[in-house]
Amino acid sequence: MGSDSRMQPLRLGDRGPAVADVQISLRILGLLVDDGSARPAGPDGEGLETAEFDEATERAVRHFQQVRGLSVDGRVGDETYRALSEARWSLGDRVLRYDPDRPMRGDDVTSLQERLLELGYDAGRADGILGAETELGLRAFQRDYGLTADGTCGPATLRALRQLGRKVTGGRPQLLRQSASFVESGPHLIGRVIVIDPGHGGPETGFTAGETTEADLVLDLAQRIEGRLTAAGATVYLTRGRDQSPSAADRTAFANDTGADLFLSLHMDAHGSEHARGVASYYYGTGSGVSSTVGERFADLVRREVVARTGMLDLGSHAKVWDLLRMSRMPAVRLDCGYLSHPVDRLLLLDARLRGVVAQAVLAAVQRLYLPAEADPPTGTFVLPSKA
Ligand SMILES: [Zn+2]
């Protein structure tokens, strides 16, 4: 979702990509139920052009406006558009830090501010904008709780905030807090060590999509996954930072040294044919009986969760003898999450909310991997909070 202001509000009867965008937001918030007629897009992207602002969409917009204290007219003008944009963030979705030039905005910032205020820190007004006062409050909290007082709300600070007992509360209804309740209600992952491997890095950018590179997108995705797994109690390591480009041997050696239980490598594809699209996963195996059972199961779970939650095409799981899979001592899976060369896949992958959904899918897959088989729920349904 961009930040351009609009002249004409979207309303009943309008069609086009902007309507599809609004519908994606409403679905992520659980306000618009996906009845199959409102997929993110059809096989050739026609869903984006023909997405219609129908009555169900208008009802969802009215519901959202009511909940957020906006004037309820069922149209999406500047104010509603901005509010939808900010509502996509739940605490834990991303690392929060103060940027004086472009302050971060969102519901996750509001949650952080409310939490700090509840704990007695002056974090300024809970307005959803991360300003200097909020940063000062955050640093004070970090100092008091023995954390690095860097003014950055990452996994360690988030864990401390959560461990202080009370749930994040506020005037907003529970349905806008889906990811927090998801994490709190799922089986915890304490004691599990998981290595996330964002592909490429540094000078090696992988595929490009406009100004964005595969390397940047998979790093962003890895950080979102790190946030969610860490909040669920796992210990998570990333194989690289933004400027590093380790070899496959370095990546697997790193994972082996950490004694990880699970290794997940992240890539996005591209293809000369613009029709190629979808999600595939790979596990170690020769295709003739020798394979990693747990790897195969996780490859299957993670791919199915991503497909079920994003509507991207299912390209199946496949046995491979790639070094990355072969040299890691723990179950290792590579997830190829969509094609940057396909117009619809690319649009989805460039959307931060969609990457949040993929991170949620990975968390669900990891939790299911460690769940007793008899308790395993159907794909795409795991611990989804009840619709308000
Ligand atoms: Zn790649």
Coordinates of all heavy atoms in Angstrom, one line a residue, residues 44-137:
D44 N -4.0 -14.8 -14.2 CA -3.3 -13.9 -15.0 C -3.4 -12.5 -14.5 O -3.1 -11.5 -15.2 CB -3.8 -13.9 -16.4 CG -3.7 -15.4 -17.0 OD1 -2.6 -15.9 -16.9 OD2 -4.7 -15.9 -17.5
G45 N -3.8 -12.3 -13.2 CA -3.8 -11.0 -12.7 C -5.1 -10.3 -12.9 O -5.3 -9.1 -12.6
E46 N -6.1 -10.9 -13.6 CA -7.3 -10.2 -13.9 C -8.1 -9.8 -12.7 O -8.8 -8.8 -12.8 CB -8.2 -11.0 -14.9 CG -9.0 -12.1 -14.3 CD -8.3 -13.4 -14.1 OE1 -7.0 -13.4 -14.2 OE2 -8.9 -14.4 -13.7
G47 N -7.9 -10.5 -11.6 CA -8.6 -10.2 -10.4 C -8.3 -8.8 -9.9 O -9.2 -8.1 -9.3
L48 N -7.1 -8.3 -10.2 CA -6.7 -7.0 -9.7 C -7.5 -5.9 -10.5 O -8.0 -4.9 -9.9 CB -5.2 -6.8 -9.9 CG -4.4 -7.6 -9.0 CD1 -2.9 -7.4 -9.4 CD2 -4.6 -7.2 -7.5
E49 N -7.6 -6.1 -11.8 CA -8.3 -5.1 -12.6 C -9.8 -5.1 -12.4 O -10.5 -4.1 -12.5 CB -8.0 -5.4 -14.1 CG -6.6 -5.2 -14.5 CD -6.0 -3.9 -14.1 OE1 -6.8 -2.9 -14.2 OE2 -4.9 -3.8 -13.7
T50 N -10.3 -6.3 -12.1 CA -11.8 -6.4 -12.0 C -12.3 -6.4 -10.5 O -13.5 -6.6 -10.3 CB -12.3 -7.7 -12.7 OG1 -11.7 -8.8 -12.0 CG2 -11.9 -7.7 -14.1
A51 N -11.4 -6.3 -9.6 CA -11.8 -6.3 -8.2 C -12.9 -5.2 -8.0 O -12.7 -4.1 -8.4 CB -10.6 -6.0 -7.3
E52 N -14.0 -5.6 -7.4 CA -15.1 -4.6 -7.3 C -15.4 -4.2 -5.9 O -15.4 -5.1 -5.0 CB -16.4 -5.2 -8.0 CG -17.5 -4.2 -8.0 CD -18.9 -4.8 -8.4 OE1 -18.9 -6.0 -8.8 OE2 -19.9 -4.1 -8.3
F53 N -15.6 -3.0 -5.7 CA -16.0 -2.4 -4.4 C -17.5 -2.8 -4.3 O -18.4 -2.0 -4.6 CB -15.8 -0.9 -4.4 CG -15.8 -0.3 -3.0 CD1 -14.6 0.4 -2.6 CD2 -16.8 -0.4 -2.2 CE1 -14.5 1.0 -1.4 CE2 -16.7 0.2 -0.9 CZ -15.6 0.9 -0.5
D54 N -17.8 -4.0 -3.8 CA -19.1 -4.5 -3.7 C -19.7 -4.2 -2.3 O -19.1 -3.5 -1.5 CB -19.2 -6.0 -4.0 CG -18.3 -6.8 -3.1 OD1 -17.7 -6.2 -2.2 OD2 -18.1 -8.0 -3.4
E55 N -20.9 -4.7 -2.1 CA -21.6 -4.4 -0.8 C -20.9 -5.0 0.4 O -20.8 -4.4 1.5 CB -23.1 -4.9 -0.9 CG -23.9 -3.9 -1.6 CD -25.3 -4.4 -1.9 OE1 -25.7 -5.3 -1.2 OE2 -26.0 -3.8 -2.7
A56 N -20.3 -6.2 0.2 CA -19.5 -6.8 1.3 C -18.3 -5.9 1.7 O -18.0 -5.7 2.8 CB -19.1 -8.2 0.9
T57 N -17.7 -5.4 0.6 CA -16.5 -4.5 0.9 C -17.0 -3.2 1.6 O -16.4 -2.8 2.6 CB -15.9 -4.1 -0.5 OG1 -15.5 -5.3 -1.2 CG2 -14.6 -3.3 -0.2
E58 N -18.1 -2.7 1.2 CA -18.6 -1.5 1.8 C -19.0 -1.7 3.3 O -18.6 -0.9 4.2 CB -19.9 -0.9 1.1 CG -20.2 0.5 1.6 CD -21.5 1.0 1.1 OE1 -22.5 0.3 1.3 OE2 -21.6 2.1 0.5
R59 N -19.6 -2.9 3.6 CA -19.9 -3.2 5.0 C -18.6 -3.3 5.8 O -18.6 -2.8 6.9 CB -20.6 -4.6 5.0 CG -22.2 -4.5 4.9 CD -22.8 -5.8 5.4 NE -22.4 -7.0 4.7 CZ -22.8 -7.3 3.5 NH1 -23.7 -6.6 2.9 NH2 -22.3 -8.4 2.9
A60 N -17.6 -3.9 5.2 CA -16.3 -4.1 5.9 C -15.7 -2.7 6.2 O -15.1 -2.5 7.3 CB -15.4 -5.0 5.1
V61 N -15.8 -1.9 5.2 CA -15.2 -0.5 5.4 C -15.9 0.2 6.5 O -15.3 0.8 7.4 CB -15.3 0.3 4.1 CG1 -14.9 1.8 4.3 CG2 -14.3 -0.3 3.0
R62 N -17.3 0.1 6.5 CA -18.1 0.8 7.5 C -17.7 0.2 8.9 O -17.5 1.0 9.9 CB -19.6 0.5 7.3 CG -20.1 1.4 6.2 CD -21.6 1.1 6.0 NE -22.1 1.9 4.9 CZ -22.5 3.2 5.0 NH1 -22.5 3.8 6.2 NH2 -22.9 3.8 3.9
H63 N -17.6 -1.1 9.0 CA -17.2 -1.7 10.2 C -15.8 -1.2 10.7 O -15.7 -0.8 11.9 CB -17.1 -3.3 10.0 CG -16.9 -4.1 11.2 ND1 -17.1 -5.4 11.3 CD2 -16.5 -3.7 12.5 CE1 -16.8 -5.9 12.5 NE2 -16.5 -4.8 13.2
F64 N -14.9 -1.2 9.8 CA -13.6 -0.7 10.1 C -13.6 0.8 10.6 O -13.0 1.2 11.6 CB -12.6 -0.8 8.9 CG -11.3 -0.2 9.1 CD1 -10.3 -0.9 9.9 CD2 -10.9 1.0 8.6 CE1 -9.1 -0.4 10.1 CE2 -9.6 1.6 8.8 CZ -8.7 0.8 9.6
Q65 N -14.4 1.6 9.9 CA -14.5 3.0 10.3 C -15.1 3.2 11.7 O -14.6 4.0 12.5 CB -15.3 3.8 9.2 CG -14.6 3.9 7.9 CD -15.4 4.5 6.8 OE1 -16.6 4.2 6.7 NE2 -14.9 5.3 5.9
Q66 N -16.1 2.4 11.9 CA -16.8 2.5 13.2 C -15.8 2.1 14.3 O -15.7 2.8 15.3 CB -17.9 1.5 13.2 CG -19.0 1.7 14.3 CD -20.2 0.9 14.0 OE1 -20.2 -0.1 13.3 NE2 -21.4 1.4 14.4
V67 N -15.1 1.0 14.1 CA -14.2 0.5 15.1 C -13.0 1.5 15.4 O -12.6 1.7 16.5 CB -13.6 -0.8 14.6 CG1 -12.3 -1.2 15.3 CG2 -14.6 -2.0 14.8
R68 N -12.6 2.2 14.3 CA -11.5 3.1 14.5 C -11.9 4.6 14.8 O -11.1 5.5 14.9 CB -10.7 3.2 13.1 CG -10.2 1.8 12.7 CD -9.1 1.4 13.6 NE -7.9 2.1 13.4 CZ -6.6 1.7 13.5 NH1 -6.5 0.4 13.7 NH2 -5.6 2.4 13.3
G69 N -13.2 4.8 15.0 CA -13.6 6.1 15.3 C -13.6 7.1 14.2 O -13.4 8.3 14.4
L70 N -13.6 6.6 13.0 CA -13.6 7.5 11.8 C -15.1 7.8 11.4 O -16.0 7.1 11.9 CB -12.9 6.8 10.6 CG -11.5 6.4 10.8 CD1 -11.0 5.4 9.8 CD2 -10.6 7.6 10.9
S71 N -15.3 8.8 10.6 CA -16.7 9.1 10.2 C -17.1 7.9 9.3 O -16.3 7.5 8.3 CB -16.8 10.4 9.5 OG -15.7 10.6 8.6
V72 N -18.3 7.4 9.5 CA -18.7 6.1 8.9 C -19.5 6.4 7.6 O -20.6 6.7 7.7 CB -19.5 5.3 9.8 CG1 -19.9 4.0 9.2 CG2 -18.7 5.0 11.1
D73 N -18.8 6.4 6.5 CA -19.5 6.7 5.2 C -19.3 5.5 4.2 O -19.8 5.6 3.1 CB -19.0 8.0 4.6 CG -17.5 8.0 4.3 OD1 -16.9 6.9 4.5 OD2 -17.0 9.0 3.8
G74 N -18.6 4.5 4.6 CA -18.4 3.3 3.7 C -17.5 3.6 2.5 O -17.5 2.8 1.5
R75 N -16.8 4.8 2.5 CA -15.9 5.1 1.4 C -14.5 5.1 1.9 O -14.3 5.4 3.1 CB -16.3 6.5 0.8 CG -17.7 6.5 0.2 CD -17.9 7.9 -0.3 NE -19.3 8.1 -0.8 CZ -19.8 9.2 -1.3 NH1 -19.0 10.3 -1.4 NH2 -21.0 9.2 -1.8
V76 N -13.6 4.9 1.0 CA -12.2 5.0 1.4 C -11.5 6.2 0.8 O -11.1 6.3 -0.4 CB -11.4 3.7 0.9 CG1 -10.0 3.8 1.3 CG2 -12.1 2.4 1.5
G77 N -11.5 7.2 1.6 CA -10.8 8.5 1.3 C -9.4 8.5 2.0 O -9.0 7.5 2.5
D78 N -8.8 9.6 2.0 CA -7.4 9.7 2.5 C -7.3 9.2 3.9 O -6.4 8.4 4.3 CB -7.0 11.2 2.6 CG -6.5 11.7 1.2 OD1 -6.3 10.8 0.3 OD2 -6.4 12.9 1.0
E79 N -8.3 9.6 4.8 CA -8.2 9.3 6.2 C -8.3 7.8 6.4 O -7.6 7.1 7.2 CB -9.3 10.0 7.0 CG -9.0 10.1 8.4 CD -10.2 10.8 9.2 OE1 -11.3 10.7 8.7 OE2 -9.9 11.5 10.2
T80 N -9.3 7.2 5.8 CA -9.6 5.7 6.0 C -8.4 4.9 5.4 O -8.0 3.9 5.9 CB -10.9 5.4 5.3 OG1 -12.0 6.1 6.0 CG2 -11.2 3.9 5.4
Y81 N -7.9 5.4 4.2 CA -6.8 4.8 3.6 C -5.6 4.7 4.5 O -5.0 3.7 4.6 CB -6.5 5.5 2.3 CG -5.5 4.8 1.4 CD1 -5.9 3.7 0.6 CD2 -4.2 5.3 1.3 CE1 -5.0 3.1 -0.2 CE2 -3.3 4.6 0.5 CZ -3.7 3.6 -0.3 OH -2.8 2.9 -1.1
R82 N -5.3 5.8 5.1 CA -4.2 5.9 6.0 C -4.4 5.0 7.2 O -3.5 4.3 7.6 CB -3.9 7.3 6.5 CG -2.6 7.6 7.1 CD -2.3 9.0 7.5 NE -2.9 10.0 6.5 CZ -3.8 10.9 6.9 NH1 -4.2 11.0 8.1 NH2 -4.2 11.7 6.0
A83 N -5.6 5.0 7.8 CA -5.9 4.1 8.9 C -5.7 2.7 8.6 O -5.2 1.9 9.3 CB -7.3 4.4 9.5
L84 N -6.2 2.3 7.4 CA -6.1 0.9 6.9 C -4.6 0.5 6.8 O -4.2 -0.6 7.2 CB -6.7 0.7 5.5 CG -8.2 0.4 5.5 CD1 -8.7 0.4 4.1 CD2 -8.5 -1.0 6.1
S85 N -3.8 1.5 6.3 CA -2.4 1.3 6.1 C -1.7 1.0 7.5 O -0.9 0.1 7.6 CB -1.8 2.5 5.6 OG -1.0 2.3 4.5
E86 N -2.1 1.8 8.5 CA -1.5 1.7 9.8 C -1.9 0.4 10.6 O -1.2 -0.1 11.4 CB -1.7 3.0 10.6 CG -1.0 4.1 10.0 CD -1.3 5.5 10.7 OE1 -2.0 5.5 11.7 OE2 -0.9 6.5 10.1
A87 N -3.2 0.0 10.3 CA -3.7 -1.1 11.0 C -3.1 -2.4 10.6 O -3.3 -3.4 11.3 CB -5.3 -1.2 10.8
R88 N -2.3 -2.4 9.6 CA -1.7 -3.7 9.1 C -0.6 -4.1 10.1 O -0.2 -5.3 10.0 CB -1.1 -3.5 7.7 CG 0.1 -2.7 7.7 CD 0.4 -2.2 6.3 NE 1.7 -1.6 6.3 CZ 2.2 -1.0 5.2 NH1 1.6 -0.9 4.1 NH2 3.4 -0.4 5.2
W89 N -0.1 -3.3 10.9 CA 1.0 -3.6 11.8 C 0.6 -4.0 13.1 O -0.1 -3.3 13.8 CB 2.0 -2.5 11.9 CG 2.6 -2.1 10.6 CD1 2.4 -0.9 9.9 CD2 3.6 -2.8 9.8 NE1 3.1 -0.9 8.7 CE2 3.9 -2.0 8.7 CE3 4.3 -4.0 10.1 CZ2 4.8 -2.4 7.8 CZ3 5.2 -4.4 9.1 CH2 5.5 -3.6 8.0
S90 N 1.0 -5.2 13.6 CA 0.8 -5.6 15.0 C 2.1 -5.7 15.6 O 3.1 -6.0 15.0 CB 0.1 -7.0 15.0 OG -1.1 -7.0 14.4
L91 N 2.2 -5.5 16.9 CA 3.4 -5.5 17.6 C 4.1 -6.8 17.4 O 3.5 -7.9 17.6 CB 3.2 -5.2 19.1 CG 4.4 -4.9 20.0 CD1 5.1 -3.6 19.4 CD2 4.0 -4.6 21.4
G92 N 5.4 -6.8 17.0 CA 6.1 -8.0 16.7 C 6.3 -8.3 15.2 O 7.1 -9.1 14.8
D93 N 5.5 -7.5 14.4 CA 5.7 -7.7 12.9 C 7.0 -7.2 12.4 O 7.5 -7.6 11.4 CB 4.5 -7.0 12.2 CG 3.2 -7.7 12.2 OD1 3.2 -8.8 12.7 OD2 2.2 -7.1 11.8
R94 N 7.5 -6.2 13.0 CA 8.7 -5.5 12.5 C 9.5 -4.9 13.7 O 8.9 -4.7 14.8 CB 8.4 -4.4 11.5 CG 7.5 -3.4 12.0 CD 7.1 -2.3 11.1 NE 6.1 -1.4 11.7 CZ 5.7 -0.2 11.1 NH1 6.1 0.1 10.0 NH2 4.8 0.5 11.8
V95 N 10.7 -4.6 13.5 CA 11.5 -4.0 14.5 C 11.2 -2.5 14.4 O 11.2 -1.8 13.4 CB 13.0 -4.2 14.2 CG1 13.9 -3.3 15.1 CG2 13.4 -5.7 14.3
L96 N 11.0 -1.9 15.6 CA 10.6 -0.5 15.7 C 11.8 0.4 16.2 O 12.4 0.0 17.2 CB 9.4 -0.3 16.7 CG 8.1 -1.0 16.3 CD1 7.1 -0.9 17.4 CD2 7.5 -0.3 15.0
R97 N 12.1 1.4 15.4 CA 13.1 2.3 15.9 C 12.8 3.8 15.4 O 12.0 3.9 14.5 CB 14.5 1.9 15.4 CG 14.6 1.9 13.9 CD 16.1 1.6 13.6 NE 16.6 0.3 14.0 CZ 16.5 -0.8 13.3 NH1 15.9 -0.7 12.1 NH2 16.9 -1.9 13.7
Y98 N 13.4 4.7 16.1 CA 13.1 6.1 15.9 C 13.8 6.6 14.6 O 15.0 6.4 14.5 CB 13.5 6.9 17.1 CG 13.3 8.4 16.9 CD1 12.2 9.0 16.4 CD2 14.4 9.3 17.3 CE1 12.0 10.3 16.2 CE2 14.2 10.7 17.2 CZ 13.0 11.2 16.6 OH 12.9 12.5 16.5
D99 N 13.1 7.2 13.7 CA 13.7 7.8 12.5 C 13.1 9.2 12.4 O 12.0 9.4 12.1 CB 13.3 6.9 11.3 CG 13.9 7.6 10.0 OD1 14.3 8.7 10.0 OD2 13.8 6.9 8.9
P100 N 14.0 10.2 12.7 CA 13.5 11.6 12.8 C 12.9 12.0 11.4 O 12.0 12.9 11.4 CB 14.7 12.4 13.2 CG 15.8 11.5 13.3 CD 15.4 10.1 13.1
D101 N 13.5 11.5 10.3 CA 13.1 12.0 9.0 C 11.8 11.4 8.6 O 11.0 12.0 8.0 CB 14.2 11.7 8.0 CG 15.5 12.4 8.3 OD1 15.4 13.5 8.8 OD2 16.6 11.8 8.2
R102 N 11.7 10.1 8.8 CA 10.4 9.4 8.4 C 9.9 8.5 9.6 O 10.2 7.3 9.6 CB 10.7 8.5 7.2 CG 11.1 9.2 6.0 CD 11.1 8.3 4.8 NE 9.9 7.6 4.6 CZ 9.7 6.6 3.7 NH1 10.7 6.1 3.0 NH2 8.5 6.0 3.6
P103 N 9.3 9.2 10.6 CA 8.8 8.4 11.8 C 7.9 7.2 11.4 O 7.1 7.3 10.5 CB 8.0 9.5 12.5 CG 8.4 10.8 12.0 CD 8.8 10.6 10.5
M104 N 8.2 6.1 12.0 CA 7.4 4.9 11.8 C 6.0 5.1 12.4 O 5.8 5.7 13.4 CB 8.0 3.7 12.4 CG 9.4 3.4 11.8 SD 10.2 2.0 12.6 CE 9.4 0.6 11.7
R105 N 5.0 4.7 11.6 CA 3.6 4.8 12.1 C 2.9 3.5 12.0 O 3.2 2.7 11.1 CB 2.8 5.8 11.1 CG 3.5 7.1 10.9 CD 2.7 7.9 9.8 NE 1.4 8.3 10.3 CZ 1.1 9.6 10.5 NH1 1.9 10.5 10.1 NH2 -0.1 9.9 11.0
G106 N 2.0 3.3 12.9 CA 1.2 2.0 12.8 C 0.6 1.6 14.1 O 1.0 2.2 15.2
D107 N -0.2 0.6 14.1 CA -0.9 0.1 15.3 C 0.2 -0.6 16.2 O 0.0 -0.6 17.4 CB -1.9 -1.0 14.9 CG -3.2 -0.3 14.5 OD1 -3.2 0.9 14.2 OD2 -4.3 -1.0 14.6
D108 N 1.3 -1.1 15.6 CA 2.3 -1.7 16.5 C 2.9 -0.6 17.4 O 3.3 -0.8 18.5 CB 3.3 -2.5 15.7 CG 3.9 -1.7 14.5 OD1 3.4 -0.6 14.2 OD2 4.9 -2.2 14.0
V109 N 3.1 0.6 16.8 CA 3.7 1.7 17.6 C 2.7 2.1 18.7 O 3.1 2.3 19.8 CB 4.0 3.0 16.6 CG1 4.5 4.1 17.5 CG2 5.0 2.6 15.6
T110 N 1.4 2.2 18.4 CA 0.4 2.5 19.4 C 0.5 1.4 20.5 O 0.5 1.8 21.7 CB -1.0 2.4 18.8 OG1 -1.0 3.2 17.6 CG2 -2.0 3.0 19.8
S111 N 0.6 0.2 20.2 CA 0.7 -0.9 21.2 C 1.9 -0.7 22.1 O 1.8 -0.8 23.3 CB 0.8 -2.3 20.6 OG -0.4 -2.6 19.9
L112 N 3.0 -0.4 21.5 CA 4.3 -0.1 22.2 C 4.1 1.1 23.2 O 4.4 1.0 24.3 CB 5.4 0.1 21.3 CG 6.8 0.6 21.9 CD1 7.3 -0.5 22.8 CD2 7.8 1.0 20.8
Q113 N 3.5 2.1 22.6 CA 3.3 3.3 23.5 C 2.4 3.0 24.7 O 2.6 3.4 25.8 CB 2.7 4.5 22.6 CG 3.7 5.0 21.6 CD 3.1 5.9 20.6 OE1 1.9 5.7 20.2 NE2 3.8 6.9 20.1
E114 N 1.3 2.3 24.4 CA 0.3 2.0 25.4 C 1.0 1.1 26.5 O 0.8 1.3 27.7 CB -0.9 1.2 24.8 CG -1.8 2.1 24.0 CD -2.9 1.4 23.3 OE1 -2.8 0.1 23.2 OE2 -3.8 2.0 22.8
R115 N 1.8 0.2 26.0 CA 2.5 -0.7 27.0 C 3.5 0.0 27.9 O 3.5 -0.2 29.1 CB 3.3 -1.8 26.1 CG 3.7 -3.0 26.9 CD 2.5 -3.9 27.2 NE 2.9 -5.0 28.1 CZ 2.8 -4.9 29.4 NH1 2.2 -3.9 30.0 NH2 3.1 -5.9 30.2
L116 N 4.2 0.9 27.3 CA 5.2 1.7 28.0 C 4.5 2.6 29.0 O 4.9 2.7 30.2 CB 6.1 2.6 27.1 CG 7.1 1.8 26.3 CD1 7.7 2.7 25.2 CD2 8.2 1.2 27.2
L117 N 3.3 3.2 28.6 CA 2.6 4.1 29.5 C 2.0 3.3 30.6 O 2.1 3.7 31.8 CB 1.4 4.7 28.7 CG 1.9 5.8 27.7 CD1 0.7 6.2 26.7 CD2 2.4 7.1 28.4
E118 N 1.5 2.1 30.4 CA 1.0 1.2 31.4 C 2.1 0.9 32.4 O 1.8 0.7 33.6 CB 0.5 -0.1 30.8 CG -0.8 -0.1 30.2 CD -1.1 -1.4 29.4 OE1 -0.4 -2.4 29.5 OE2 -2.1 -1.4 28.6
L119 N 3.3 0.7 32.0 CA 4.4 0.4 32.8 C 5.0 1.6 33.5 O 5.9 1.5 34.3 CB 5.5 -0.3 32.0 CG 5.1 -1.7 31.5 CD1 6.1 -2.2 30.5 CD2 5.1 -2.7 32.6
G120 N 4.4 2.8 33.3 CA 4.8 4.0 34.0 C 5.9 4.8 33.3 O 6.5 5.6 33.9
Y121 N 6.2 4.5 32.0 CA 7.2 5.3 31.3 C 6.5 6.4 30.5 O 5.5 6.1 29.9 CB 8.0 4.4 30.4 CG 8.9 3.5 31.2 CD1 8.4 2.2 31.6 CD2 10.1 3.8 31.7 CE1 9.1 1.4 32.4 CE2 10.9 3.0 32.5 CZ 10.4 1.8 32.9 OH 11.1 0.9 33.7
D122 N 7.2 7.5 30.4 CA 6.6 8.6 29.6 C 7.0 8.4 28.2 O 8.1 8.6 27.8 CB 7.2 10.0 30.1 CG 6.6 11.1 29.3 OD1 5.7 10.9 28.5 OD2 7.0 12.3 29.6
A123 N 6.1 7.9 27.4 CA 6.3 7.6 26.0 C 5.6 8.6 25.1 O 5.4 8.3 23.9 CB 5.9 6.2 25.7
G124 N 5.1 9.7 25.6 CA 4.3 10.6 24.8 C 2.9 10.1 24.7 O 2.5 9.1 25.3
R125 N 2.2 10.7 23.8 CA 0.8 10.3 23.6 C 0.8 9.0 22.8 O 1.6 8.8 21.9 CB 0.1 11.4 22.8 CG -1.4 11.6 23.0 CD -1.8 13.0 22.6 NE -1.4 13.3 21.2 CZ -2.2 12.9 20.2 NH1 -3.3 12.3 20.3 NH2 -1.8 13.2 19.0
A126 N -0.2 8.1 23.0 CA -0.3 6.9 22.2 C -1.0 7.2 20.9 O -2.1 6.9 20.7 CB -1.1 5.8 23.0
D127 N -0.2 7.8 20.0 CA -0.8 8.3 18.8 C -0.3 7.5 17.5 O -0.7 7.8 16.4 CB -0.4 9.8 18.5 CG 1.2 9.9 18.5 OD1 1.9 8.9 18.6 OD2 1.6 11.1 18.4
G128 N 0.4 6.4 17.8 CA 0.8 5.5 16.7 C 2.0 6.1 15.9 O 2.3 5.5 14.8
I129 N 2.6 7.2 16.3 CA 3.8 7.7 15.6 C 5.0 7.6 16.5 O 5.0 8.1 17.6 CB 3.5 9.2 15.2 CG1 2.2 9.3 14.4 CG2 4.7 9.7 14.4 CD1 1.7 10.7 14.1
L130 N 6.0 7.0 16.0 CA 7.2 6.8 16.9 C 8.1 8.0 16.8 O 8.9 8.2 15.9 CB 8.0 5.5 16.4 CG 8.8 4.8 17.5 CD1 9.2 3.4 17.0 CD2 10.0 5.6 18.0
G131 N 7.9 8.9 17.8 CA 8.7 10.1 17.9 C 9.7 10.0 19.0 O 10.0 9.0 19.6
A132 N 10.4 11.2 19.2 CA 11.5 11.3 20.1 C 11.1 10.9 21.6 O 11.8 10.2 22.3 CB 12.1 12.7 20.1
E133 N 9.9 11.3 22.0 CA 9.4 11.0 23.3 C 9.3 9.5 23.5 O 9.6 8.9 24.6 CB 8.0 11.6 23.6 CG 8.1 13.1 24.0 CD 6.7 13.6 24.2 OE1 5.9 13.6 23.2 OE2 6.4 14.0 25.3
T134 N 8.7 8.8 22.5 CA 8.5 7.4 22.6 C 9.9 6.7 22.7 O 10.1 5.8 23.5 CB 7.8 6.8 21.4 OG1 6.6 7.6 21.2 CG2 7.5 5.4 21.5
E135 N 10.9 7.2 21.9 CA 12.2 6.6 22.0 C 12.8 6.8 23.4 O 13.4 5.8 23.9 CB 13.1 7.2 20.9 CG 14.4 6.4 20.8 CD 15.6 7.2 20.3 OE1 15.6 8.4 20.4 OE2 16.5 6.6 19.7
L136 N 12.6 8.0 24.0 CA 13.2 8.2 25.3 C 12.5 7.2 26.3 O 13.2 6.6 27.2 CB 12.9 9.6 25.8 CG 13.9 10.7 25.2 CD1 13.4 12.1 25.6 CD2 15.3 10.4 25.7
G137 N 11.2 7.1 26.2 CA 10.5 6.2 27.1 C 11.0 4.7 27.0 O 11.2 4.0 27.9

